[in-house]
């Protein structure tokens, strides 16, 4: 730890701290330790047995003037909350539903290509989770919904991202181009 001891006409200060009077017995002990070349007990406690580098500046011809506070940028460590692409943790309405949707509406996955999972929240309140290749198109999601839930075959609906809400109008885009990898898609009826 680097500490700067400034000696003033009317007392001393540590770094840019408050003025400490020479007449206070605690401060006198502090200065006596420094004069003997020892680390004062106060500083030993401060650094928990670590190494202290004590520099001194002589300002004994000057009166102490409280320094103006300088802006000190945050020097701590940041913590990232969540992730850029949230992991889908929820499950379909029931295991039977998921199995039924997989059996009724197979999506052909090329295991040699990068894949992603997309959760689809349907307008009827149920949801589907399906693995797609990143090269599948938004149209493939629409076809998957219609094959999984034939009732939506005659219904006019749009697909929307969750946040920020954006309607997926260009169904020729790949999932990667549309930036909807590992996301939740909402089905909204027109």
């Amino acid at each position: 730890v680097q500490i700067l001891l400034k000696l003033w006409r009317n007392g001393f200060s540590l770094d840019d701290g408050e003025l400490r009077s020479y007449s206070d017995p605690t401060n006198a002990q502090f200065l006596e330790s420094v004069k003997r070349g020892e680390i004062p007990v106060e500083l030993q406690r401060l650094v928990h047995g670590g190494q202290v580098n004590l520099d001194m500046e002589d300002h004994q011809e000057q009166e102490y003037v409280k320094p103006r506070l300088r802006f000190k940028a945050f020097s701590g460590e940041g913590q990232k909350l969540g992730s850029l692409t949230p992991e889908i943790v929820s499950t379909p309405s029931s295991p039977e539903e998921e199995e039924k949707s997989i059996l009724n509406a197979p999506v052909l996955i090329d295991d040699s290509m990068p894949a992603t999972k997309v959760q689809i929240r349907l307008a009827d309140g149920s949801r589907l989770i399906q693995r797609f290749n990143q090269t599948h198109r938004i149209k493939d999601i629409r076809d998957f919904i219609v094959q999984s839930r034939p009732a939506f075959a005659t219904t006019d609906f749009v697909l929307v991202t969750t946040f920020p809400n954006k309607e997926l109008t260009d169904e020729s885009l790949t999932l990667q181009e549309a930036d909807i990898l590992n996301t939740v898609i909402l089905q909204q009826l027109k």
Side-chain angles (χ1 to χ4, degrees):
V1 176
Q2 185 77 28
I3 296 177
L4 180 60
L5 172 66
K6 294 180 182 178
L7 300 172
W8 304 94
R9 181 180 301 153
N10 52 342
F12 69 94
S13 64
L14 294 174
D15 291 325
D16 286 329
E18 295 293 320
L19 180 69
R20 298 168 68 167
S21 171
Y22 290 128
S23 59
D24 184 337
T26 309
N27 295 338
Q29 254 184 345
F30 184 94
L31 288 175
E32 280 303 314
S33 295
V34 171
K35 284 179 188 174
R36 288 192 306 265
E38 300 171 355
I39 303 289
V41 176
E42 176 185 330
L43 296 181
Q44 289 175 358
R45 273 189 246 128
L46 178 73
V47 298
H48 307 292
Q51 192 173 15
V52 176
N53 225 356
L54 185 64
D55 290 332
M56 292 176 58
E57 285 183 4
D58 186 9
H59 298 277
Q60 290 183 355
E61 285 83 43
Q62 303 169 11
E63 290 288 323
Y64 170 79
V65 178
K66 187 173 182 176
R68 282 191 274 158
L69 293 175
R70 291 180 299 180
F71 173 75
K72 185 176 179 188
F74 176 70
S75 61
E77 187 176 302
Q79 299 295 321
K80 186 170 118 181
L81 301 175
S83 70
L84 297 176
T85 54
E87 184 179 329
I88 300 171
V89 184
S90 56
T91 58
S93 301
S94 69
E96 296 80 29
E97 262 186 52
E98 183 178 13
E99 202 168 298
K100 182 175 80 175
S101 68
I102 290 170
L103 293 174
N104 291 344
V107 175
L108 299 175
I109 305 292
D110 181 353
D111 288 327
S112 67
M113 302 285 289
T116 183
K117 274 191 180 179
V118 176
Q119 182 183 130
I120 306 153
R121 293 194 183 156
L122 301 174
D124 64 5
S126 63
R127 61 183 163 219
L128 303 169
I129 297 176
Q130 181 60 46
R131 241 178 107 224
F132 292 93
N133 285 119
Q134 294 179 8
T135 55
H136 275 104
R137 307 214 173 263
I138 294 172
K139 179 164 180 20
D140 295 322
I141 294 177
R142 175 180 289 278
D143 294 343
F144 171 73
I145 293 170
V146 170
Q147 290 175 358
S148 299
R149 301 289 194 280
F152 289 119
T154 58
T155 309
D156 197 15
F157 65 87
V158 293
L159 300 175
V160 180
T161 61
T162 51
F163 185 78
N165 284 11
K166 181 180 85 175
E167 188 175 326
L168 300 170
T169 52
D170 186 355
E171 293 189 355
S172 66
L173 290 177
T174 66
L175 304 187
Q176 188 169 21
E177 292 168 342
D179 195 24
I180 56 170
L181 304 177
N182 295 316
T183 59
V184 177
I185 301 296
L186 305 176
Q187 176 197 38
Q188 291 181 346
L189 301 179
K190 279 191 172 182

